Amino acid sequence: MTQMETIACVFTGMGLAAMLAACAPAETPAPAVEPATEVAAPIEAETPAAPEAPAYAMPAGGQGLIFTVTPCYGTCPAYSVNLFDDGVLLFRRSHRDTPDVDVIVKEDAFETPEGFQELVDQLESQGLSELNGNYTNTMTDGRCRTDASSKILEVRTAEFTKRVEFYTGCSEFADETTLQGLFSVVEEAVGAEDLLAQSESPTAPE
């Protein structure tokens, strides 16, 4: 090949390369990478605080006496008494026609530190341990009317817990006299009559 032919071939090759380069598709630029977005950590919901126990509530395992009189269809008072072994007494009385609740607190229900044990001994002498727990209008003996209240007694000591429910509309049944004597002792011990009179007065604490 002559020198002129060689030069022609070189220029021909260069032209072909330029043509191929011109016809080649343009490179597509890579998509821009967006910066990573920081995800905020989820906010943990605050756990609501546990409700405080009501003042003078009978603690689990605590020693004391709980006496309750339920409503009737008439005007008989409905109330409850918590009497603690240290002499603190909490009286609550609800009213039929209003949401009001009378509350009376005494801190010296017993004259001596042994007062609670002496009361338990007195209730035992009245036959507390021998009574069964249920004297309601489902009894098969005796007669029962349907418009009376119930009296419920729960005694808690280090040795035992005893609960007795007495529907006062029932009569002429076994243990009736024992129950009446037992609840008379309880009502006198907590001062039920005075507490009811105080709750009915205009100056009764709310």
Side-chain angles (χ1 to χ4, degrees), residues 157-190:
T157 73
E159 290 76 28
F160 69 90
T161 296
K162 179 71 175 184
R163 184 180 187 277
V164 178
E165 180 173 354
F166 169 37
Y167 179 67
T168 59
C170 295
S171 61
E172 301 179 15
F173 63 94
D175 295 334
E176 178 183 7
T177 302
T178 301
L179 283 168
Q180 291 174 342
L182 178 76
F183 282 100
S184 292
V185 170
V186 173
E187 291 168 352
E188 182 178 354
V190 301

Side-chain angles (χ1 to χ4, degrees), residues 36 52 59 78 82 97 101 111 132 134 136 159:
E52 296 183 0
N82 282 20
D97 299 324
V101 177
E111 296 180 356
N132 69 53
N134 185 17
T136 65
E159 290 76 28

Side-chain angles (χ1 to χ4, degrees), residues 25-51:
E27 293 185 1
T28 303
V33 178
E34 296 183 359
T37 303
E38 294 185 2
V39 179
I43 300 174
E44 296 184 0
E46 294 183 1
T47 304

